Amino acid sequence: MTDSETDVAVVDAVDAYLQRKAVGDPDGSGAGTYASNAESILRRWADWLEAEHDVRSLFALDVEYMRAYAVELRARVDRGEYTASTAGTYYAVVRAFLSWCVRGGILESNPAATDDATVTLPPTDDRPDSECWTARQRRQLEAYVRERTLEASTAPEDHDERCNRLREYALVALLAHSSVRGSELFSVPDDDRRSGATWEDVDFYTGTIRVLGKSQRLEDVPLPGPARTPLRRYRVVFDPPANDWPLFPTRHAPSIARRVKTVLAERGYDDAEIDALRADATASELAREHAIAPPAITTEGARSVLKRLCGEANIDVDGNYLTPRGVRGDHDGDSYRREATASKPALRASVLERTLAVPESMPVIDVDSSGHDERSENS
């Protein structure tokens, strides 16, 4: 046989691996779920190999290519697109696939399992100094965005500015008071599964938000009052035309314009009709008028927002600024997370949109400014 006759394409091996995992693997339970989580990771890796290194054959893989993949993952961590743990998960999925190839006799050895390949991976406990800020510094940032929100004008002509301040307050409050990660809230470039949280993911009634966790599974994360209240106030003023809109849409006009043009074309508008619409309104106005959800802000965009806010609030430590991970601080709410149910709860609308019937015998509850319940003495 010639080499071409015995060659194995990377994409073909990935297909076989995913099919095998989807029907169950005697080596472990939950294989079908693993296959669905691993598919996007492996396919993006295969696309990266072909696009960046023109590698299509499994037999062409060597340690240098896997080292280059580790360097690519670390670069994404440095840009704020991935967390260190996410990068580690992605590499581990590829390494597991190649180990399967070795066990199946397709490869002689695993090029991803060598020290030379893994030495450049970001350590999971590697945190820049800017991510180790004190609770006082985090509170200083939150106080700044809260105060500027209270000072915002409620005049109709100042609606956009007020909405933007509420947006930034909600962003900081979510990161500061919940265990939601930046990669779960915002869009991650080149990861089609992480397109940003939407209003459909928020359940104000149960006080949770549904996100794609670092486990690559949907998880319901609690939203404490200090995070939920700013988000709810932002929603009232923002008034998204549909629940599929991201919590934090991008404000990058060209990105919004591209999305509007693409969706209008999919809805049957020709170029002349689209141009006519765009001549009379901005891309943001068209998106709202036609209920076209704009892209979410990216993780890098969120870092830029925080950098600007830190500068405005005069918060600076050796030239650093508070990152999304730094706003979260050291609290770890993973223990309070739970895997999302197969179907979403029926009641996912804002509590502002729901009427509750309260029996006469129910005690009257007042909520003070600190968020504590004070039951009536008559109860």
Side-chain angles (χ1 to χ4, degrees), residues 24 65 87 89 91 93 110 118 185 234 239-240 248 268 347 354 368:
Y65 291 124
T89 297
Y91 192 90
V93 168
N110 185 346
T118 59
L185 276 181
Y234 163 52
D239 189 24
F248 304 105
L347 298 176
R354 185 181 296 110
D368 64 18

Side-chain angles (χ1 to χ4, degrees), residues 186-338:
F186 316 121
S187 172
V188 178
D190 300 327
D191 189 338
D192 53 6
R193 297 192 70 197
R194 296 192 179 278
S195 55
T198 68
W199 291 105
E200 187 177 16
D201 298 322
V202 178
D203 190 337
F204 285 111
Y205 185 70
T206 60
T208 60
I209 181 172
R210 182 161 297 181
V211 300
L212 181 65
K214 64 181 180 181
S215 66
Q216 298 297 308
R217 299 182 182 182
L218 291 176
E219 299 172 348
D220 287 332
V221 183
L223 289 178
R228 189 168 62 249
T229 299
L231 184 64
R232 187 166 51 210
R233 290 173 177 170
Y234 163 52
R235 186 189 192 282
V236 171
V237 176
F238 179 49
D239 189 24
N243 279 338
D244 65 345
W245 276 47
L247 299 185
F248 304 105
T250 180
R251 298 173 67 86
H252 186 242
S255 298
I256 300 174
R258 283 194 298 269
R259 174 65 60 84
V260 168
K261 183 176 182 180
T262 298
V263 174
L264 288 177
E266 292 173 349
R267 294 179 182 178
Y269 289 79
D270 59 33
D271 289 343
E273 292 172 323
I274 294 175
D275 290 340
L277 289 172
R278 294 176 66 182
D280 296 331
T282 66
S284 295
E285 290 170 344
L286 286 177
R288 182 169 287 273
E289 178 182 350
H290 293 270
I292 300 173
I297 190 174
T298 64
T299 49
E300 187 63 26
R303 290 171 71 97
S304 296
V305 170
L306 289 172
K307 184 175 183 178
R308 173 175 55 79
L309 292 173
C310 286
E312 294 173 357
N314 296 318
I315 304 173
D316 181 271
V317 176
D318 296 330
N320 290 321
Y321 63 94
L322 206 55
T323 65
R325 185 173 182 176
V327 179
R328 289 181 62 224
D330 297 327
H331 68 78
D332 184 3
D334 286 359
S335 59
Y336 297 100
R337 293 181 175 218
R338 65 177 184 274

Side-chain angles (χ1 to χ4, degrees), residues 131-148:
E131 293 184 350
C132 301
W133 283 32
T134 65
R136 180 188 61 79
Q137 290 161 337
R138 289 191 292 272
R139 287 195 298 269
Q140 185 180 349
L141 176 61
E142 186 179 9
Y144 170 75
V145 293
R146 180 174 60 248
E147 290 302 319
R148 67 196 294 269

